[in-house]
Amino acid sequence: MKLDAILHIPMSQYCHGLDEGHIVYRLRCARGDLKRVTLYYGDTACRVTPIIFTPVPMERVGEDPYHDYWQAIVDSPYNRVYYYFEMQDGVETLLYYGDVFTKELVDDRSQYFKLPFNHRADIARVPDWVKDAVVYNIFPDSFATGHRYISQKPQQVEYEGNTLRGRLGGTLEGIGDNVDYLKALGVNCVYLNPIFAAGEYHKYDLVDYFHVDPVFGGDEAFRKLVDILHANGIRILIDGVFNHCGWNFFAFADVVKNQELSPYRDWFYHLEFPVVRPESPEEYPPYACFAYERMMPKLNTANPEVQDYLCRVGRYWIEEFHIDGWRLDVASEVDDGFWRAFRKTVKAANPEALLIGEVWESAGHWLQGDMFDSSMNYDFRKHCNLFFAENAIDGADFAGRLTQMLMRYRLQMVPAQMNLLDSHDVSRFLSLCGGHLGKYKLAVLFMMTFVGMPTIFYGDELGMTGVMEEEYRRPMPWDGGREDLLAFFRRAIALRREQTPLRRGNFRVILAEPASGLLIYSRVWKGQKVTVCLNAGESPKNLPEGLGRLSWGEGLADRRLAGFGFGIFVDEAGGNAL
């Protein structure tokens, strides 16, 4: 037994409350090492010694190149638990508790692993609606001016002494005019990049957190858009830029004017006096900012005054305009104390509001239930790029990376992850595929059938490409987009919305071949099973029997799956397919 590979961490993603009645237990071991793992759990306040333990067989739910992962979800009568693991490798049996491997139990209950109390206040809770969400990400300047139309004309508006600019003519009214397009596509949640008053077209250099940019139509246009989307069953998330502001934001302007005498000097993370706005974009500013972007000074979110101001912003748009949540920009560079205060404020206004952090790395630190509900899953994009676009990894490696994504967070956080193939910050995925539609469609289909919220960047469904920033933020191709690809997106979204297992079921890899692009996995929910077969390689592959009824496929004949083909099978009996 390879003891150095075995891992369990109490009160983490390896042991946590799913709700007040269910507790998740996990154990990691070396790949292929253990044949059976049994969890034993008991009441920490048990009145007899030794404690009465209840055995629960654990399921091997996934593997990566180095490890297997075992899991049990216990409908627990106890909210305070001592527990240990019994591990069998076919040769020996060992017990594991208190970070010790042994063959004997002890009477001293304090030596076992412990969940002190599955307290309702500490359970990570995520809005249930995220499991059914299909998100459409709109970059407002680039989407629409009117019905199936974008002017592509620059705009400029004077606002409280500041010049606000647009580049392509997109407006909020234009989004509302195309709500029928969004409904026909099948999405039920819209995420807007920043809409508040700001100088540049991207609106990440804010000058006013309490008003919508007049370039996009102003406050009333936004209120009308929210009403239109809600009337059509579509939720709306907006972008919160709280790591930094624009250099014309009132507080920073006051610092530039009054220097050390400014009452706002402590609103910013680091200032060197005299504070001046550098004229050249190549010049490093004498103050902390986002990256080295001189127009975006970094806010001191640990300052109570700044916290109060920005928390009021968070509450205001929830209460006054009824938005459904926030995507939080540069979230990993903002202090934890602010995010905890922001969450408390927003959830008090609407417990069902969603909080998504822009975290490009593993986001477990922020997903304990006290800061965010979700993060932008750029690892999802990275792994899909390697498997589908570049064919740089095989099915077995890709499946291992999927397991790592599923196991790194608490169980309830995974369905809320914002899975994306591209965004306003990265090249279009179709460009990464070299324009290869077969690769692109497989990646899209995988996104629609994996755990988490599938997220479409505007125009992906029409075949938009682009590697550089001005290219991947081009205007929506209302004329000239690929209708065949649009039809594919519509069907893939409809499949997800029709099949409950694809939204709420567990995920299990059935077959992932080394040195091959074949991947077969299932989603199971309450007796219903959907099995997905993807061939991300060029060579045809044979599929096993007993997969269920074919619901949709391309390149599939007599269980022979062509290169870049797929098959989706439905088995309503649930337990028979493989």
Side-chain angles (χ1 to χ4, degrees):
M1 196 176 294
K2 299 176 181 177
L3 302 184
D4 56 346
I6 293 173
L7 178 67
H8 175 77
I9 305 172
M11 300 180 69
S12 72
Q13 69 268 31
Y14 283 88
C15 179
H16 56 272
L18 194 59
D19 52 43
E20 289 187 64
H22 295 84
I23 300 172
V24 178
Y25 299 87
R26 291 170 174 166
L27 180 84
R28 191 196 75 185
C29 68
R31 182 167 174 174
D33 190 37
L34 300 182
K35 307 302 181 186
R36 178 177 297 178
V37 179
T38 304
L39 166 75
Y40 286 82
Y41 74 96
D43 185 359
T44 64
C46 181
R47 294 185 176 184
V48 300
T49 300
I51 290 178
I52 300 171
F53 285 105
T54 301
V56 177
M58 301 186 75
E59 177 189 3
R60 191 173 68 86
V61 295
E63 62 185 35
D64 64 27
Y66 311 105
H67 304 107
D68 289 338
Y69 295 84
W70 296 77
Q71 177 176 282
I73 302 173
V74 177
D75 186 355
S76 178
Y78 315 122
N79 50 22
R80 48 197 177 190
V81 183
Y82 279 126
Y83 60 98
Y84 68 92
F85 303 95
E86 180 186 78
M87 306 172 299
Q88 303 175 25
D89 66 357
V91 176
E92 65 176 333
T93 298
L94 285 179
L95 308 180
Y96 178 40
Y97 53 82
D99 294 329
V100 172
F101 302 99
T102 180
K103 293 189 176 183
E104 305 292 337
L105 291 177
V106 293
D107 290 342
D108 181 2
R109 62 186 67 190
S110 68
Q111 294 188 36
Y112 294 107
F113 288 124
K114 183 178 183 180
L115 177 62
F117 203 95
N118 185 31
H119 201 293
R120 67 172 69 98
D122 295 329
I123 295 170
R125 301 182 187 275
V126 175
D128 188 66
W129 62 263
V130 302
K131 296 176 182 175
D132 301 320
V134 179
V135 183
Y136 193 79
N137 177 192
I138 294 176
F139 197 73
D141 181 68
S142 302
F143 187 66
T145 312
H147 187 261
R148 309 295 193 273
Y149 164 74
I150 182 164
S151 71
Q152 301 190 47
K153 294 179 180 179
Q155 301 178 75
Q156 185 168 304
V157 175
E158 295 303 313
Y159 177 82
E160 298 184 355
N162 298 296
T163 300
L164 313 183
R165 299 175 182 85
R167 187 169 66 96
L168 295 174
T171 64
L172 300 178
E173 183 178 5
I175 297 172
D177 287 346
N178 290 282
V179 69
D180 60 326
Y181 175 85
L182 300 175
K183 283 197 70 175
L185 182 60
V187 300
N188 54 16
C189 182
V190 164
Y191 152 47
L192 300 182
N193 290 105
I195 58 171
F196 301 152
E200 299 303 315
Y201 79 97
H202 51 67
K203 306 305 172 189
Y204 282 97
D205 58 329
L206 278 79
V207 299
D208 191 336
Y209 285 88
F210 285 96
H211 291 288
V212 172
D213 199 305
V215 166
F216 293 153
D219 294 355
E220 291 311 308
F222 181 61
R223 192 184 302 276
K224 181 178 179 181
L225 174 62
V226 173
D227 290 344
I228 290 172
L229 292 174
H230 284 171
N232 284 275
I234 300 174
R235 289 182 168 89
I236 181 168
L237 312 173
I238 63 175
D239 215 321
V241 186
F242 304 133
N243 172 70
H244 56 271
C245 60
W247 67 2
N248 289 319
F249 179 57
F250 80 92
F252 193 75
D254 191 87
V255 168
V256 173
K257 178 181 178 181
N258 296 306
Q259 298 295 316
E260 290 98 333
L261 299 178
S262 172
Y264 303 107
R265 57 175 293 173
D266 293 329
W267 278 43
F268 298 92
Y269 190 77
H270 173 74
L271 301 174
E272 293 180 6
F273 294 99
V275 176
V276 294
R277 299 184 179 106
E279 293 185 10
S280 170
E282 303 304 319
E283 184 178 347
Y284 286 90
Y287 46 84
C289 47
F290 167 65
Y292 293 108
E293 174 49 63
R294 73 196 199 287
M295 299 173 66
M296 301 180 186
K298 182 176 176 63
L299 289 160
N300 179 16
T301 49
N303 181 325
E305 293 181 4
V306 177
Q307 283 197 6
D308 179 69
Y309 178 87
L310 295 178
C311 285
R312 284 194 289 115
V313 173
R315 183 175 61 247
Y316 175 78
W317 293 95
I318 295 282
E319 292 180 343
E320 296 298 322
F321 288 81
H322 308 297
I323 65 167
D324 298 289
W326 290 91
R327 177 268 189 189
L328 302 164
D329 190 55
V330 202
S332 58
E333 297 186 22
V334 176
D335 69 282
D336 295 350
F338 171 73
W339 287 135
R340 293 187 179 105
F342 188 82
R343 179 185 181 87
K344 185 176 181 180
T345 300
V346 168
K347 294 291 185 175
N350 180 7
E352 293 300 300
L354 182 65
L355 297 177
I356 305 171
E358 184 199 14
V359 180
W360 289 57
E361 58 273 23
S362 182
H365 173 76
W366 295 272
L367 298 178
Q368 312 276 347
D370 59 343
M371 287 185 266
F372 308 145
D373 302 310
S374 170
S375 66
M376 297 184 74
N377 196 354
Y378 278 99
D379 278 349
F380 177 90
R381 176 183 186 271
K382 175 177 68 178
H383 302 325
C384 285
N385 177 45
L386 291 172
F387 183 58
F388 295 110
E390 297 183 8
N391 299 125
I393 58 176
D394 59 26
D397 193 347
F398 183 60
R401 292 164 185 248
L402 301 180
T403 296
Q404 290 170 347
M405 285 197 296
L406 294 171
M407 291 291 108
R408 65 184 177 176
Y409 302 145
R410 298 175 188 230
L411 184 62
Q412 62 265 47
M413 312 308 285
V414 179
Q417 293 308 295
M418 179 179 259
N419 295 339
L420 53 95
L421 294 174
D422 45 34
S423 73
H424 73 287
D425 279 329
V426 295
S427 302
R428 295 276 180 167
F429 200 81
L430 183 54
S431 292
L432 300 184
C433 293
H436 193 298
L437 282 182
K439 294 181 177 183
Y440 183 57
K441 288 163 69 175
L442 285 187
V444 170
L445 189 60
F446 175 71
M447 180 173 68
M448 293 298 170
T449 54
F450 188 57
V451 186
M453 298 187 297
T455 303
I456 304 160
F457 193 37
Y458 80 95
D460 279 350
E461 73 280 11
L462 295 175
M464 282 188 70
T465 58
V467 175
M468 305 304 292
E469 185 175 287
E470 284 200 6
E471 296 173 335
Y472 54 73
R473 296 181 184 177
R474 281 188 296 213
M476 179 75 168
W478 291 114
D479 297 317
R482 293 195 61 121
E483 292 294 327
D484 58 336
L485 197 55
L486 176 61
F488 178 86
F489 268 80
R490 285 173 173 168
R491 185 165 183 181
I493 294 170
L495 176 74
R496 183 178 181 89
R497 297 190 64 173
E498 291 166 2
Q499 293 293 338
T500 305
L502 295 180
R503 306 191 310 276
R504 294 173 173 263
N506 63 26
F507 177 92
R508 298 290 184 268
V509 173
I510 296 172
L511 181 64
E513 292 191 341
S516 164
L518 183 62
L519 176 69
I520 302 177
Y521 55 92
S522 67
R523 303 289 307 274
V524 180
W525 174 256
K526 293 184 177 180
Q528 301 176 48
K529 182 173 187 176
V530 177
T531 301
V532 181
C533 306
L534 307 176
N535 185 3
E538 295 182 356
S539 302
K541 298 293 178 181
N542 291 321
L543 300 184
E545 296 182 350
L547 294 175
R549 174 180 59 82
L550 179 65
S551 175
W552 184 23
E554 290 185 6
L556 179 61
D558 297 326
R559 293 194 298 109
R560 185 79 167 165
L561 187 60
F564 308 109
F566 65 86
I568 298 175
F569 300 85
V570 176
D571 176 16
E572 297 188 356
N576 298 326
L578 292 181

